[in-house]
Amino acid sequence: MQTLLREIRDTPLLWMLVFVPIVLVAEAAAPHSHTLLFVLAVLAIVPLAALLSHATEAVAAKTGDAVGGLLNATLGNLTELIIAITALRAGQYMLVKASIAGAIVTNAVFMLGACLLLGGLRYHVQEYNRAGARLSSGLLLMATVALLAPSAVADLDHLPPDGSILNKLSVGISVLLIVAYALGLLFSLGTHKELFASADHGDDEGHLPIGVAVGTLLVVTVLVALVSEIFVESVQKAAETFGMSPAFVGFIIVSLVGAAAEFAVAFAAARKNRLDMVVSIALGSASQIALFVAPALVLLSYVVGPTPMNLQFWPGAVTMVMIATVTATFITTSGRSAWFVGALMIFIYAVFALTLYVVPPAGEG
């Protein structure tokens, strides 16, 4: 505990943890002050993400970058899953689908690009294990093709108008995606784990003890879940105040805030020239959302949603996800990177964000 307190004392960003009890109290005292709760929730998630970063780095130092990246992606996506389930219960399916598509694009393009830019500004050329990048980009490409199928057949004339066929197709695809994700884990962490070993960077000093790190992970994950529920309850009303559509909120705002923990860890890894972990987090998280979070939400909608949710996205979302997947796959084939590559990826993401803000999907204006 003394080690953890010293870490908080010596890191000014962690002083913002004071906003965690503030937002919890504010939610109880003024539940209808949506704009205030939205701002406080964002301010509370940022230091929680930083603390999660420290704890995850400590665990990754003991487990290796591949498992560490998987652990961080899972914990980061847990936040996004909680946000999506809350919206699912409220029947806000546009927000759910936008957050799914946005999370895939944000992780595969913006997070990876920002890390390549940050690392490239410090190191002339950076290298990483191409095997891990190929696995994650391959899984992501397969998942993107699967997500395209419902949208591609949705407008066929002979389909019944009640959407029952799309629902059946979405359930079948969801099961296939979850099986593919499980086989990917077996391949990378079991039968062929030697292909994904990363270099020893020799920077284990200064990490939290493993026991403290695991305890911190558990506590911070619970706190992130609590703050995330406040965030999703307030984000819609706050977005209306700022003139944003539900699609933009889900695609950009929810995905950026939901991935705050992963951003913190990935940026720190990039500055330490640990691109193996960066690629594992960015592409691993994107493929995990496409292969596990999205199908899990489809199946959960039959339990917690007012009606079943399918995997039919609006055309713009499908296009952006496909472009993001192809871009990430193309960028990571060489196993080397420089800062300008990251800058180009950030510009691609900026084009997506600007387009969605200025031209929202039909019916969202």
Side-chain angles (χ1 to χ4, degrees):
M1 182 59 69
Q2 290 180 348
T3 305
L4 181 60
L5 292 176
R6 186 166 58 250
E7 188 82 21
I8 295 175
R9 185 192 62 198
D10 296 339
T11 308
L13 182 61
L14 296 182
W15 298 350
M16 292 175 62
L17 287 170
V18 67
F19 285 106
V20 176
I22 289 177
V23 70
L24 295 176
V25 172
E27 198 274 337
H32 301 295
S33 301
H34 297 293
T35 303
L36 174 64
L37 290 175
F38 170 76
V39 174
L40 290 176
V42 172
L43 292 175
I45 288 175
V46 171
L48 287 173
L51 191 56
L52 192 62
S53 165
H54 289 286
T56 306
E57 278 192 338
V59 176
K62 301 295 183 182
T63 61
D65 284 353
V67 177
L70 173 65
L71 174 65
N72 183 75
T74 302
L75 290 173
N77 288 338
L78 180 63
T79 302
E80 292 161 340
L81 184 60
I82 292 171
I83 292 174
I85 290 175
T86 305
L88 199 66
R89 266 200 309 257
Q92 299 179 17
Y93 289 167
M94 171 58 79
L95 180 62
V96 175
K97 293 180 180 180
S99 66
I100 292 171
I104 295 172
V105 173
T106 297
N107 287 309
V109 176
F110 181 75
M111 182 191 296
L112 183 59
C115 288
L116 296 181
L117 175 60
L118 286 176
L121 292 175
R122 189 167 184 178
Y123 302 94
H124 187 65
V125 175
Q126 293 183 288
E127 298 184 355
Y128 50 91
N129 187 340
R130 286 183 293 176
R134 281 197 297 262
L135 174 66
S136 295
S137 59
L139 286 171
L140 184 58
L141 184 60
M142 185 278 296
T144 302
V145 172
L147 294 178
L148 279 171
S151 301
V153 303
D155 295 329
L156 295 179
D157 294 334
H158 64 277
L159 294 182
D162 60 0
S164 58
I165 298 298
L166 280 181
N167 290 340
K168 291 180 181 178
L169 178 62
S170 297
V171 170
I173 290 176
S174 297
V175 174
L176 290 176
L177 290 177
I178 291 175
V179 172
Y181 181 63
L183 292 177
L185 292 181
L186 176 63
F187 180 76
S188 60
L189 301 179
T191 62
H192 290 70
K193 62 182 179 181
E194 73 279 358
L195 298 177
F196 306 96
S198 55
D200 183 10
H201 297 271
D203 60 349
D204 291 348
E205 295 186 11
H207 291 305
L208 294 172
I210 188 67
V212 176
V214 172
T216 302
L217 285 175
L218 295 175
V219 173
V220 172
T221 300
V222 173
L223 290 176
V224 169
L226 292 175
V227 176
S228 296
E229 291 202 23
I230 298 174
F231 170 81
V232 78
E233 290 171 0
S234 61
V235 68
Q236 282 293 84
K237 294 293 184 181
E240 292 176 6
T241 303
F242 296 116
M244 296 181 290
S245 69
F248 182 86
V249 170
F251 198 95
I252 303 296
I253 306 299
V254 173
S255 60
L256 287 175
V257 174
E262 298 156 276
F263 277 117
V265 180
F267 289 169
R271 289 193 296 268
K272 295 177 181 178
N273 200 27
R274 300 178 68 172
L275 280 201
D276 288 329
M277 189 170 188
V278 167
V279 173
S280 179
I281 293 172
L283 295 187
S285 181
S287 61
Q288 189 179 71
I289 288 174
L291 289 163
F292 179 74
V293 174
L297 289 171
V298 170
L299 299 178
L300 281 173
S301 68
Y302 285 84
V303 180
V304 302
T307 58
M309 186 184 79
N310 58 44
L311 289 174
Q312 180 190 358
F313 294 83
W314 74 93
V318 172
T319 302
M320 288 185 281
V321 169
M322 178 56 77
I323 292 174
T325 300
V326 173
T327 300
T329 302
F330 176 75
I331 290 297
T332 55
T333 53
S334 66
R336 308 181 72 202
S337 177
W339 68 266
F340 188 62
V341 176
L344 291 177
M345 297 183 77
I346 292 176
F347 278 114
I348 292 174
Y349 185 79
V351 170
F352 289 163
L354 180 62
T355 302
L356 192 57
Y357 183 79
V358 175
V359 188
E364 291 290 314

